[in-house]
């Protein structure tokens, strides 16, 4: 068998990616997730158009209940700030932090997992020890320590979440790369004299794309929850409005004016639910066993 022929069977390992959007639309969970996520993205994109003023400005009478004033459809909080404006602008902050933090985790996790799985030996041993070290520390507590040391800003929150979320992804990528490392495609590439970096980037990682994409959607949801929890504890950037900071501010009046904390809390639930539903749909759509049916 020639080298070219030996590469062909390995190509079948790659998940079928044609018509991904069409396959997603055949899955109710994915459609629901896309619809919810689309609505939240629209809120983030239109925040400056619908509510051009600073959402932290005191623009109305405090404790206006939803529906009491048409100028403030979702009411105002204890400081007279528009809750609807806060939710719209908070969508941008939460999605931005979740997305960038996930990107940081992807770079670290995929890099560590790919190097450990491909080179094995000492590199694998050393990198897995580092991964285990990070896994022994509770991620949320680790994020709190990082933010507390570096001061709570949007940048430090992103770094804290990104630096504490990559170990599980690194282990997943490592397991997939170890499976592919002895495959015919990789062995043929080595015989052809391709560099290790080229083999990893062009032949290994594309075959690990499906679990990475699914994991990324779940990681964004987890990052949004972590950011909301940090902001709830007062460790968010005080100069921006986020769903977590709105919930944290509203907890003081939860018994008398529950809507102040509940409405941004529902926005968090909607975003996390949308990303989890989308992750389930992507998992099914990118699964080659599902695609053969």
């Amino acid at each position: 068998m020639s080298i070219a022929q030996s590469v062909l069977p390995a190509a079948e390992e790659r998940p079928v990616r044609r018509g991904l959007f069409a396959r997603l639309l055949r899955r109710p969970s994915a459609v629901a997730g896309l619809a919810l996520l689309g609505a939240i993205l629209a809120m983030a994109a239109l925040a400056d158009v619908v509510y051009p003023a600073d959402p932290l400005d005191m623009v109305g009478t405090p404790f206006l209940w939803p529906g009491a004033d048409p100028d403030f459809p979702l009411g105002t909080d204890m400081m007279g700030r528009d809750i609807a404006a806060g939710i719209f602008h908070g969508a941008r902050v939460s999605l931005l932090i979740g997305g960038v933090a996930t990107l940081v985790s992807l770079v670290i996790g995929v890099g560590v997992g790919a190097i450990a799985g491909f080179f094995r030996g000492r590199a694998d041993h050393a990198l897995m020890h580092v991964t285990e070290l990070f896994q022994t520390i509770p991620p949320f507590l680790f994020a709190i320590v990082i933010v507390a040391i570096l001061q709570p800003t949007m940048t430090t929150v992103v770094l804290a979440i990104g630096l504490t979320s990559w170990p599980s992804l690194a282990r997943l990528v490592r397991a997939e790369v170890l499976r592919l490392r002895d495959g015919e495609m990789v062995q043929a590439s080595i015989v052809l004299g391709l560099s290790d970096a080229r083999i990893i980037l062009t032949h290994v990682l594309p075959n690990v794309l499906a679990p990475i994409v699914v994991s990324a959607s779940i990681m964004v949801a987890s990052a949004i929850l972590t950011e909301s929890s940090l902001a709830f504890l007062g460790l968010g950037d005080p100069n921006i409005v986020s769903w977590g900071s709105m919930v944290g501010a509203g907890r003081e009046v939860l018994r008398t004016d529950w809507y102040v904390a509940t409405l941004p809390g529902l926005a968090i639930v909607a975003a996390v639910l949308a990303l989890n539903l989308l992750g389930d749909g992507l998992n099914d759509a990118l699964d080659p066993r599902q695609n053969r049916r």
Side-chain angles (χ1 to χ4, degrees):
M1 180 184 295
S2 66
I3 293 175
Q5 290 175 324
S6 67
V7 176
L8 293 177
E12 297 176 0
E13 295 178 1
R14 296 191 179 187
V16 179
R17 300 185 183 93
R18 293 182 180 179
L20 173 61
F21 189 70
R23 295 197 298 274
L24 279 176
L25 293 180
R26 292 199 296 267
R27 289 161 175 82
S29 63
V31 173
L34 284 171
L36 269 176
L37 185 59
I40 295 170
L41 287 171
M43 288 170 52
L46 298 174
D48 286 332
V49 177
V50 182
Y51 297 102
D54 189 340
L56 294 174
D57 289 344
M58 294 175 281
V59 294
T61 304
F63 294 120
L64 278 177
W65 274 67
D69 188 332
D71 291 333
F72 308 105
L74 297 182
T76 59
D77 63 7
M78 69 290 298
M79 300 293 291
R81 295 171 294 202
D82 190 348
I83 292 178
I87 290 177
F88 269 69
H89 284 269
R92 176 181 300 175
V93 172
S94 295
L95 290 175
L96 179 61
I97 290 177
V100 177
T102 298
L103 182 61
V104 173
S105 296
L106 285 174
V107 171
I108 299 174
V110 172
V112 169
I115 293 172
F118 187 83
F119 293 103
R120 298 180 289 195
R122 293 182 178 178
D124 184 20
H125 186 72
L127 290 173
M128 285 303 100
H129 271 300
V130 174
T131 303
E132 290 170 0
L133 176 63
F134 273 82
Q135 286 187 310
T136 59
I137 307 173
F140 185 61
L141 292 180
F142 195 8
I144 290 177
V145 171
I146 294 174
V147 174
I149 293 174
L150 299 178
Q151 301 301 318
T153 65
M154 192 169 178
T155 302
T156 57
V157 169
V158 168
L159 287 175
I161 298 173
L163 291 174
T164 58
S165 303
W166 61 268
S168 59
L169 178 64
R171 286 191 171 278
L172 173 65
V173 173
R174 172 183 175 272
E176 292 294 319
V177 173
L178 282 174
R179 179 180 62 85
L180 296 168
R181 178 66 172 80
D182 295 323
E184 294 178 344
M185 177 175 57
V186 173
Q187 294 302 313
S189 300
I190 294 173
V191 172
L192 289 171
L194 299 183
S195 65
D196 293 335
R198 184 175 177 182
I199 294 173
I200 293 173
L201 293 174
T202 61
H203 296 298
V204 176
L205 289 183
N207 287 291
V208 192
L209 185 62
I212 290 176
V213 170
V214 175
S215 297
S217 65
I218 306 301
M219 289 170 67
V220 173
S222 299
I224 290 175
L225 281 176
T226 303
E227 184 278 328
S228 299
S229 301
L230 290 171
F232 180 83
L233 295 175
L235 292 174
D237 192 331
N239 299 314
I240 59 175
V241 61
S242 72
W243 292 336
S245 64
M246 294 176 70
V247 174
R251 65 182 172 179
E252 299 177 0
V253 294
L254 191 59
R255 291 185 177 181
T256 56
D257 299 275
W258 53 266
Y259 68 92
V260 177
T262 301
L263 294 177
L266 290 175
I268 296 172
V269 171
V272 173
L273 178 62
L275 289 163
N276 278 277
L277 289 174
L278 182 59
D280 289 341
L282 285 170
N283 186 45
D284 292 339
L286 292 171
D287 188 348
R289 293 170 296 181
Q290 297 283 343
N291 295 326
R292 294 193 191 104
R293 295 178 182 177

